[in-house]
Amino acid sequence: MKIKIIGFNIIAIGIAIIIMSATLQQKPWVIPEKYKSMKSTVKTSAASIAAGKVLWEKHCKSCHGSLGKGDGVKAKTLKTTCGDMSTAKIQSESDGELYYQSFVGRDEMTNFEKKIPDNTDRWNLINFIRSLKK
Ligand code: HEC
């Protein structure tokens, strides 16, 4: 009898943890107004995408994977999923939204403002992300 109750509690706690982590993963981004209206200052081009790719491989690939599928080597060690950059959901986000997520970040998506200080570099990276569209 006691064992049954303990077993039930373990299952209930397990389910609660699964539900909690699922909702944590879907937490919507809150993008400040200042960023929402931001527009890219670097027109997309093969050269810009190539420059963005170099930065992507250095700073982002470890978690997001080379094609942004969210399958980088570090992805498995994270609590939150990295998302899939090729999806309409992410591709439909505005320049400023992608910029905020990429450089200001939150939680496991760490801040890159110091590591990538140059504005042209930053927009090159966003142009690379846009090139991952399906
Ligand atoms: C340590 C692992 C890690 C690294 C390195 C990393 N990211 Fe992320 N990234 C994440 C995680 C985890 C999320 C999801 C965060 C969340 O939803 O709270 C994320 C989310 C994002 C998003 C938002 C996706 C969406 O769902 O709208 C963008 C854009 C992004 N990252 C860009 C970048 C760029 C650009 C770089 C490199 C400069 C980078 N990331 C480096 C882990 C990482």
Side-chain angles (χ1 to χ4, degrees):
M1 184 61 185
K2 251 200 185 139
I3 289 176
K4 260 192 195 156
I5 292 172
I6 291 170
F8 175 77
N9 281 339
I10 289 171
I11 291 169
I13 291 167
I15 291 171
I17 289 172
I18 290 168
I19 293 172
M20 271 160 58
S21 58
T23 47
L24 265 181
Q25 283 181 4
Q26 285 157 5
K27 194 170 71 170
W29 283 81
V30 180
I31 315 280
E33 280 309 318
K34 177 179 145 209
Y35 289 91
K36 268 190 192 162
S37 54
M38 206 177 212
K39 285 267 168 278
S40 174
T41 53
V42 179
K43 250 183 91 182
T44 190
S45 66
S48 167
I49 292 170
K53 186 170 188 240
V54 173
L55 291 164
W56 178 267
E57 286 176 351
K58 181 170 178 209
H59 298 285
C60 324
K61 185 181 152 184
S62 59
C63 294
H64 288 280
S66 45
L67 295 174
K69 298 272 181 203
D71 56 356
V73 287
K74 274 210 249 163
K76 283 193 217 76
T77 66
L78 301 171
K79 288 195 281 295
T80 25
T81 51
C82 297
D84 179 348
M85 299 291 166
S86 71
T87 57
K89 180 189 164 280
I90 294 181
Q91 290 293 333
S92 65
E93 285 170 7
S94 71
D95 291 347
E97 284 173 317
L98 288 175
Y99 184 100
Y100 181 82
Q101 293 165 334
S102 298
F103 307 112
V104 180
R106 70 174 183 191
D107 309 328
E108 290 186 310
M109 175 59 222
T110 52
N111 183 289
F112 276 94
E113 287 172 304
K114 285 212 181 78
K115 282 187 197 143
I116 307 174
D118 185 78
N119 224 34
T120 304
D121 281 346
R122 291 180 181 178
W123 289 118
N124 284 340
L125 245 177
I126 304 290
N127 285 339
F128 173 73
I129 292 176
R130 294 234 184 263
S131 80
L132 299 171
K133 187 174 176 177
K134 263 188 231 164

